[in-house]
């Protein structure tokens, strides 16, 4: 019973964040995370009128993916749907806050469930699903299926007529690059824009409230928008519900990542692990952690940017195989500092997951801690890496590194200082070095040769001696 009550309260809290009180109209303060946003005007209008609620931390999270349950609740309220149908979806319990909203949506006839009798209320709503809902709610003609978007081939057959109708009436706009993004998750900001643009075509007698539509079409973001989850959200499997008939059309499994965690964290590096659901590529960007900072969009993660549009501390991409854990190093970090690593996955068909955050804190510094570690270049059988430790005016100390294949076990700090691998074997050539003490406070570049092409390696760095070592730094590299 306690568990059910906690779930109900969590759901009610979630929907209260989405919907305002519909009380008297008054100017609301402008949240920091919508200032400068492409949808700021509409979001602020909805906040002022009480149509949209904010979060306890004062944010609106405009780039957060809106779920199927949240969206139908918003449609029901804004369009005045109050009658309910009898529903028996296996994943919508009568004790769940969304139960009555789903019942209203089914009665209104603008959305259905899936072929296995589920509704998937917590799945993010896709843009093509939103088009189908708009077409059904507004009773638009969907006879034309001629699409003019660059990615028209990605639009599901059950959604083509609706996408054409919604796009023709400027209810759902395409993106500046000529794409529609049918499978991308709809954000809170996009949801507000779509519903505001729908008002012009709202059928008479539907009741509800009538938001004043924007005088012009909702401006599209300057960067190609892609799904973004909240900092605590976990990407989920999306569907193509909202299709014709009683079901939801064909099924689309959105990419997702799991087991996003870190292994070893040094003063200036961290080892990150990710398990992808599909074959494709993982993109990541690192930013200093702050409770007031929102997660970047997937487009920003792909481009190595933070939510503010500035370059992250470190970013990159790595090829992935479905259900196989991959590891990568993030570097350029500072000692004793909290960071967030934002991770997103793209499959080989161009579908994207949401953004998953990983929060970590680097180790504290010491007089001989490494202050810089990184990669300068990668070849087929060579690589150039660099490291720096201590301060220019500090005392010299040994700086050592060893190179092992990524599949091998990690050596201990003592073994690294002795130029050995985890089995205690002394490494030779460029697989261990340097043999002499190098100056502190100076960037030292080390050229590694004799590597194998298309192979992953781990480079371990350490300073100190006689058991008094700095935190170990790990740098992962992959030859071409």
């Amino acid at each position: 019973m306690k568990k059910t009550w906690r779930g109900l309260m969590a759901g009610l809290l979630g929907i209260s964040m989405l919907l305002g009180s519909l009380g008297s109209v008054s100017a609301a303060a402008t949240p920091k995370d919508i200032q400068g946003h492409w949808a700021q005007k509409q979001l602020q209008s909805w906040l002022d009128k009480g149509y949209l609620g904010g979060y306890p931390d004062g944010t609106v999270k405009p780039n957060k993916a809106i779920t199927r349950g949240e969206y139908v609740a918003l449609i029901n309220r804004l369009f005045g749907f109050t009658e309910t149908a009898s529903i028996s979806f296996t994943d919508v319990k009568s004790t769940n806050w969304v139960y009555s909203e789903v019942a209203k949506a089914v009665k209104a006839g603008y959305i259905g469930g899936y072929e296995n009798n589920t509704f998937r209320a917590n799945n993010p709503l896709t843009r093509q699903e939103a088009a189908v809902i708009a077409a059904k709610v507004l009773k638009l003609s969907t006879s034309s299926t001629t699409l003019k978007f660059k990615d028209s081939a990605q639009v599901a057959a059950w959604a083509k007529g609706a996408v054409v109708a919604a796009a023709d009436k400027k209810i759902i706009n395409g993106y500046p690059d000529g794409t529609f993004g049918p499978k991308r998750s709809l954000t809170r900001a996009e949801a507000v824009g779509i519903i505001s643009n729908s008002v012009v075509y709202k059928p008479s007698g539907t009741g509800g409230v009538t938001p004043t539509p924007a005088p012009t079409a909702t401006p599209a973001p300057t960067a190609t928008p892609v799904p973004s989850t909240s900092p605590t959200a976990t990407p989920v499997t999306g569907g193509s519900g909202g299709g014709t008939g009683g079901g939801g059309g064909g099924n689309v499994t959105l990419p997702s990542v799991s087991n996003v965690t870190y292994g070893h964290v040094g003063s200036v590096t961290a080892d990150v692990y990710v398990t992808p659901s599909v074959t494709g590529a993982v993109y990541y960007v690192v930013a200093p952690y702050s409770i007031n900072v929102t997660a970047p969009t997937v487009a920003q993660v792909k481009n190595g940017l933070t939510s503010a549009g500035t370059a992250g501390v470190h970013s990159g991409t790595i090829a992935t195989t479905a259900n196989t854990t991959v590891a990568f190093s993030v570097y350029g970090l500072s000692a004793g500092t909290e960071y967030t690593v934002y991770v997103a996955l793209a499959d080989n068909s161009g579908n994207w997951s949401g953004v998953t955050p990983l929060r970590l804190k680097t180790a504290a510094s010491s007089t001989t801690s490494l202050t810089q570690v990184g990669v300068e270049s990668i070849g087929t059988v060579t690589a150039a890496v660099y490291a720096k430790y201590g301060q220019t005016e500090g005392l010299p100390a040994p700086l050592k590194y060893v190179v092992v294949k990524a599949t091998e076990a990690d050596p201990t700090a003592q073994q690294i200082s002795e130029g050995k691998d985890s089995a205690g074997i002394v490494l030779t050539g460029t697989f261990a070095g340097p043999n002499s003490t190098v100056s502190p406070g100076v960037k030292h570049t080390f050229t590694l040769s004799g590597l194998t092409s298309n192979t992953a390696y781990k480079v371990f760095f350490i300073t100190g001696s006689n058991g008094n070592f700095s935190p170990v730094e790990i740098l992962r590299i992959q030859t071409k």
Side-chain angles (χ1 to χ4, degrees), residues 285-288 293-297 299-301 303-314 340 342:
V285 63
V286 185
V293 172
T294 58
T297 64
Q300 289 173 319
V301 173
N303 294 321
L305 303 176
T306 67
S307 58
T310 57
V313 173
H314 180 60
T340 303
Y342 297 101

Side-chain angles (χ1 to χ4, degrees), residues 367-368 389-397 438-441:
T367 55
T368 58
Y389 77 95
Q391 304 298 320
T392 304
E393 65 278 6
L395 297 175
V438 297
S439 302

Side-chain angles (χ1 to χ4, degrees), residues 20-28 45-51 77:
S21 62
L22 283 185
S24 59
V25 176
S26 59
S45 175
W46 277 44
L47 288 169
D48 292 343
K49 293 177 173 63
Y51 303 154
R77 188 169 187 181

Side-chain angles (χ1 to χ4, degrees), residues 336-358:
T337 305
E338 286 189 274
Y339 291 92
T340 303
V341 183
Y342 297 101
V343 179
L345 169 67
D347 66 19
N348 290 332
S349 298
N351 300 306
W352 284 86
S353 71
V355 176
T356 299
L358 173 65

